[in-house]
C-alpha cells in the first residue's frame, strides 16, 4: 500500500474542503439578504466578494474607492479580497465582461436611478444607527396626491415612540430629502433615519419629532436647462408647499408653524433645501444642507453667488438670522465639495450670517449623511 | 449631385433613428423603476426586453412561462419580444453566458431569497389593485422583539383610512403571510395589499381592518427535517402567539378576540396558516390558505392525511364549524396543487366540515394571491 499516495489524496481532499469553507474571522455584510454568505467583511473592513460566472472572461467589483479584479476557480466561481473599505454604506456592482451585474447576496438599494447592490461596513466604535433595545418609532408609507405631477406619490413619515399613545401631543417636523438618482427609500434604508432618531430620543439628545421623507425627483419646468437654479426648483417648491406640508399638517399631529418645521437634505436635496428653504423662511424655520454641490464643483460659474439663489440673503442677514432657528451646513472631509462649502461658510460668517457647520470623515457618501442627520437632529427644535 | 446617394443616406439616417426609437404601441412595465424604458409591454402583453452586454455570447430572459433568446445588435444591445405574458406579477432574470443577471430597468422584488427583477403585466378589465382616487390607508413598518430569534424583526401593519382620526374605533386584524423565499415585503410590494384593501373599503365590500404582514421565515427546530409538519411549525406558532399577536394587540386598537382575528397566507404561508391556525382556533376565528402545497405535490406521502397536521379535525368537525367564522381555501387553476386542493375540499365537505373554496386563472403566482386576498377579505369579519 502506497501510504504516500494516500496522504496526498487526503491532503487534496482536505484542501478542497478548506477551499469551500468560508474565510475565517469574517462575517456576512450587514447589508446582505438573510442567509447570503457573500459579500463578507473582516475586522479591518476588507471586502470578500464572490460571484458565479462560469463563462466569463473578466469579472471586477466596482466600489467607490476603486475597481478590483476577481479570480476564477475551477468551478467558475470568481472571488476577490479587497483592501479595507471605508466605513459606511457604499453602492457597488460587478462588471462581468463589461456588463453591470448586481450581487444577489446584497439587498437592493435605490441609487443611480436603479435598484443596485450596497455594502454597509461597520465603523468601529460607532453605533448610533444600530438597532438597540430602546423604544422604537415606526415608518409609515403614505400615498398623497401631487398636483405637480398629477399623480399619486409615496412618502414616508417617521413617527417617534409613543406617537399613537399620546393623542394630545403635537410634534415638530423635519422634512428630509435624498440625493440625485435616489428616492424616498434612501433615508429610510441607506440612511437608517428611524434608528438614528430612536437612539437620539432614547438618550434625550433629540426632541421627539416627525421626519417626513418624500421623493424630491420632479420634472423640471420646460425650457429650464438646469435644476440647480431658482427656476429649476419651482416644481420642488410647489410640491413641498402646496402638497406635502399641507398633507402632513392635515394628517399628523404637527406643530404647524415655521419654528417647528425644518427642511434638510443631502447633495441634490441639500441644494433643494438651501434654495427653497431660504426662500420660504415663513414655512421652514430651520434649514440644513449636507454635501450640496451648489457652492461649487458642479457648476462652471465660480465663485458662488448667494444672490443668484437667494436674493437678499447677503443684504439682509439680520432678517435671516432672526427668522432662522438653525441654519446648518455639513460636508464630507474627503468630498471635493468641502473646499467650496468652507469658503461659503467663511463668507456667510464674515457677512454676519449665522451658520453652523460640521464635517465628517468620508467622501460623497451615506456615512457622512447619517452623521449629518445625527448631528443636526440634536440641534433642532431646542428652546 | 447624386440624388440617389443622398436618398440612400437619408434612408440610412432615418433607419438608424427608427431603430433607436421605442417600439410603437408599447409602454414601460408598471413594475419598472421611474424613467426606465425597458422592459416594455404591448396591449397583448408581449414583453419587450433589452439589456446591454457587448461581450456576451448568449443572452436569455427567464420567465415562469419559458426562456427566450435575445438577439444582439451592432452596439452590443440584446433584445427580444416574447409571446404574450400571463397577466400579473412574475419574477424574472436574464441569463448572460450562464450567469443570473437582474434587469436594472426593473424594481427589485424579494423572492427566491434575493432581490430580483419582476414584471407586472396588467390584466384587461382588472383594476382592483390599481391606485384609485379613494381614501388611502397607510403601511407602517414596525420593529418588534422576537423571543424566537432573539433579535429585532420587522413587520408591516396596514391601517385603514381614518385609523388615526377615529381614536375610539377598534378594528379586526388579518395576519397575512408570504411564501417560501419571500419576506414581509411580498404582500406589501408584489401583493399590493394596501391598494386592494383601500379599494374594497371604499366600495363598502370589506370592513375596515388592520392587516399585519410579518416575516414568516424562522429557523426550524433542531432535528426536524421538514418544515411542513406540526413540529416544524413550532417556531412560527410561537412567533405568532407569543410575539406578533401580543405586540399588535398592545400597540394597535384591535378587537382582541378570535372572531376578529384571521390568519391567512400563500404557499408556505398557506401551510403555516392551515396548521397553526386550525391548532389555535381560540386565537384565530378565520383561516385562509392560498395555493398551499400541504395537500399534495410537495410531499411524497399521499393521500393527504388531515389528522397528521390537525389532530381531531375530521373527528370533531362540529367543533371546528362552530369555532371558525371562515375557513377559506384557494388555488390557481393552472397550479399543479389544484387537484389536491379540490380533493381535500371535497373530502372536508363530505365529512361535514364547512370550507369555502375559490380558484382563479393562473399558476403558482401573485395574480392568484392578489385575487385570493381580494376574495377572502370580502368574506371576513362579516356578521
Amino acid at each position: 500500500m502506497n501510504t504516500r499516495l494516500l496522504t496526498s489524496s487526503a491532503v487534496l481532499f482536505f484542501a478542497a474542503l478548506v477551499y469551500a469553507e468560508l474565510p475565517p474571522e469574517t462575517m456576512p455584510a450587514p447589508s446582505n439578504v438573510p442567509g447570503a454568505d457573500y459579500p463578507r467583511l473582516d475586522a479591518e473592513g476588507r471586502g470578500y466578494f464572490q460571484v458565479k460566472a462560469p463563462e466569463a472572461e473578466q469579472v471586477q467589483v466596482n466600489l467607490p474607492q476603486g475597481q478590483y479584479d476577481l479570480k476564477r476557480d475551477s468551478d467558475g466561481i470568481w472571488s476577490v479580497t479587497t483592501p479595507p473599505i471605508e466605513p459606511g454604506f457604499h453602492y457597488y456592482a460587478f462588471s462581468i465582461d463589461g456588463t453591470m451585474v448586481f450581487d444577489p447576496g446584497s439587498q437592493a438599494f435605490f441609487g443611480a436611478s436603479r435598484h443596485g447592490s450596497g455594502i454597509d461596513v461597520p465603523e468601529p466604535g460607532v453605533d448610533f444607527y444600530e438597532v438597540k433595545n430602546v423604544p422604537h418609532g415606526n415608518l409609515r408609507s403614505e400615498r398623497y396626491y401631487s398636483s405637480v405631477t398629477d399623480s399619486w406619490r409615496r412618502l414616508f413619515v417617521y413617527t417617534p415612540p409613543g406617537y399613537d399613545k399620546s393623542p394630545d401631543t403635537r410634534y415638530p417636523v423635519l422634512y428630509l430629502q435624498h440625493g440625485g438618482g435616489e428616492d424616498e427609500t434612501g433615508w429610510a434604508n441607506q440612511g437608517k433615519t428611524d434608528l438614528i432618531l430612536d437612539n437620539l430620543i432614547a438618550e434625550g439628545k433629540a426632541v421627539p419629532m416627525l421626519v417626513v421623507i418624500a421623493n424630491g425627483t420632479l420634472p423640471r419646468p420646460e425650457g429650464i436647462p438646469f435644476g440647480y437654479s431658482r427656476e429649476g426648483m419651482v416644481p420642488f417648491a410647489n410640491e413641498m408647499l402646496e402638497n406635502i406640508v399641507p398633507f402632513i399638517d392635515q394628517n399628523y399631529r404637527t406643530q404647524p408653524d415655521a419654528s417647528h418645521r425644518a427642511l434638510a437634505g443631502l447633495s441634490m436635496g441639500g441644494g433643494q433645501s438651501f434654495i427653497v428653504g431660504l426662500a420660504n423662511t415663513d414655512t421652514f424655520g430651520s434649514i440644513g444642507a449636507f454635501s450640496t454641490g451648489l457652492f461649487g464643483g458642479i457648476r462652471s460659474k465660480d465663485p458662488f453667488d448667494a444672490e443668484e439663489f437667494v436674493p437678499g440673503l447677503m443684504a439682509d442677514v439680520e432678517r435671516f438670522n432672526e427668522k432662522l432657528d438653525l441654519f446648518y451646513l455639513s460636508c464630507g472631509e474627503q468630498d471635493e465639495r468641502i473646499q467650496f462649502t468652507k469658503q461659503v461658510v467663511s463668507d456667510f460668517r464674515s457677512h454676519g450670517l449665522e451658520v453652523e457647520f460640521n464635517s465628517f470623515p468620508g467622501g460623497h457618501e451615506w456615512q457622512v449623511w447619517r452623521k449629518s442627520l445625527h448631528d443636526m437632529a440634536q440641534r433642532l427644535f431646542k428652546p
Side-chain angles (χ1 to χ4, degrees), chain A residues 25-27 29-30 39-49 63 65 68 80-88 90 119-124:
Chain A
E25 315 257 329
T26 61
M27 61 164 200
R40 304 179 73 77
L41 294 164
D42 65 20
E44 284 73 44
R46 287 180 201 90
Y48 298 69
F49 294 88
L63 285 159
Q65 70 194 45
Y68 303 95
V80 71
T81 303
T82 72
I85 305 173
E86 290 293 314
H90 315 281
I119 186 163
D120 208 339
V121 182
E123 181 169 348

Side-chain angles (χ1 to χ4, degrees), chain A residues 86-124:
Chain A
E86 290 293 314
F89 175 89
H90 315 281
Y91 298 110
Y92 75 97
F94 292 119
S95 171
I96 301 184
D97 294 339
T99 299
M100 179 180 67
V101 173
F102 301 128
D103 188 344
S106 166
Q107 290 178 61
F109 299 91
F110 196 75
S113 301
R114 33 84 175 163
H115 278 110
S117 308
I119 186 163
D120 208 339
V121 182
E123 181 169 348

Side-chain angles (χ1 to χ4, degrees), chain A residues 261-337:
Chain A
R261 255 192 232 111
L263 177 61
L266 74 91
S267 195
M268 178 183 89
Q272 291 173 325
S273 299
F274 186 93
I275 294 174
V276 175
L278 290 172
N280 293 280
T281 51
D282 287 341
T283 301
F284 302 106
S286 296
I287 292 162
F290 315 152
S291 311
T292 175
L294 203 62
F295 306 142
I298 61 159
R299 292 170 61 82
S300 53
K301 190 176 167 190
D302 287 322
F304 171 75
D305 178 10
E307 191 67 18
E308 180 186 345
F309 298 104
V310 189
L313 182 62
M314 291 296 92
D316 204 0
V317 294
E318 287 307 321
R319 186 171 67 86
F320 282 93
N321 286 342
E322 177 162 352
K323 284 271 191 182
L324 291 175
D325 297 318
L326 176 65
F327 180 32
Y328 178 88
L329 299 177
S330 72
C331 198
E333 286 156 13
Q334 284 73 48
D335 189 328
E336 59 183 2
R337 293 159 187 79

